[in-house]
Amino acid sequence: MPRTIGPSPIDLHVGSRVRMRRLMLKMSQEKLGDALGITFQQIQKYEKGANRIGASRLQHISNILQVPVSFFFEGGPNISEQPGLVPSLPSPGYVSDFLSTSDGLALTAAFMHIKNGKIRRHIVDLVELLVDK
């Protein structure tokens, strides 16, 4: 694969999934860094995709965050091994991006606590009405 400038799409995706899971567990970057024996600044670099996470480190992160390693690649970009082909974009990347925010996590958690399916449907309808089309 040819070298590119800046973080690779896979490193960006894996980093955003680390962030999303860490936020889901309400864990600070400092706490994750302490568990890994590294600084919170290194966690920031991982989450932004600025630094690539090695295989053994990713396995350790998966243990701490209580998810399988495959979790970090779900919905990620599909980079073809064949030269000349353009990598496909992540399939629904906007969902991962949204869930990586504190608002996305809070909204999702609150929404999942609504037991009544009709009320959930009304909320979705309301949000769709509020969207500028």
Side-chain angles (χ1 to χ4, degrees):
M1 192 160 72
R3 291 192 46 86
T4 58
I5 297 174
S8 79
I10 293 172
D11 293 333
L12 289 168
H13 181 77
V14 169
S16 73
R17 299 284 289 182
V18 168
R19 176 177 164 76
M20 176 176 65
R21 181 62 182 164
R22 179 181 60 75
L23 291 173
M24 289 172 79
L25 296 174
K26 296 179 172 56
M27 180 183 291
S28 70
Q29 289 177 330
E30 186 173 7
K31 185 174 178 183
L32 179 56
D34 287 347
L36 291 167
I38 60 176
T39 65
F40 77 91
Q41 291 94 338
Q42 183 63 40
I43 299 298
Q44 288 175 333
K45 291 177 183 178
Y46 286 157
E47 290 182 355
K48 291 178 181 175
N51 284 8
R52 180 168 290 157
I53 304 172
S56 60
R57 173 79 28 96
L58 190 59
Q59 178 67 52
H60 195 182
I61 291 170
S62 76
N63 291 337
I64 294 165
L65 299 181
Q66 304 167 9
V67 291
V69 171
S70 61
F71 169 85
F72 301 111
F73 297 94
E74 291 172 0
N78 182 14
I79 306 295
S80 173
E81 295 292 328
Q82 298 176 355
L85 292 180
V86 177
S88 66
L89 295 175
S91 104
Y94 64 91
V95 174
S96 292
D97 291 345
F98 176 67
L99 289 175
S100 294
T101 67
S102 56
D103 286 343
L105 286 171
L107 182 62
T108 303
F111 187 82
M112 296 307 297
H113 282 94
I114 299 171
K115 303 287 186 231
N116 187 312
K118 287 183 182 181
I119 291 174
R120 284 196 309 267
R121 182 69 245 170
H122 287 306
I123 291 170
V124 170
D125 291 343
L126 173 63
V127 172
E128 288 175 344
L129 285 173
L130 295 172
V131 174
D132 292 331
K133 291 184 181 184

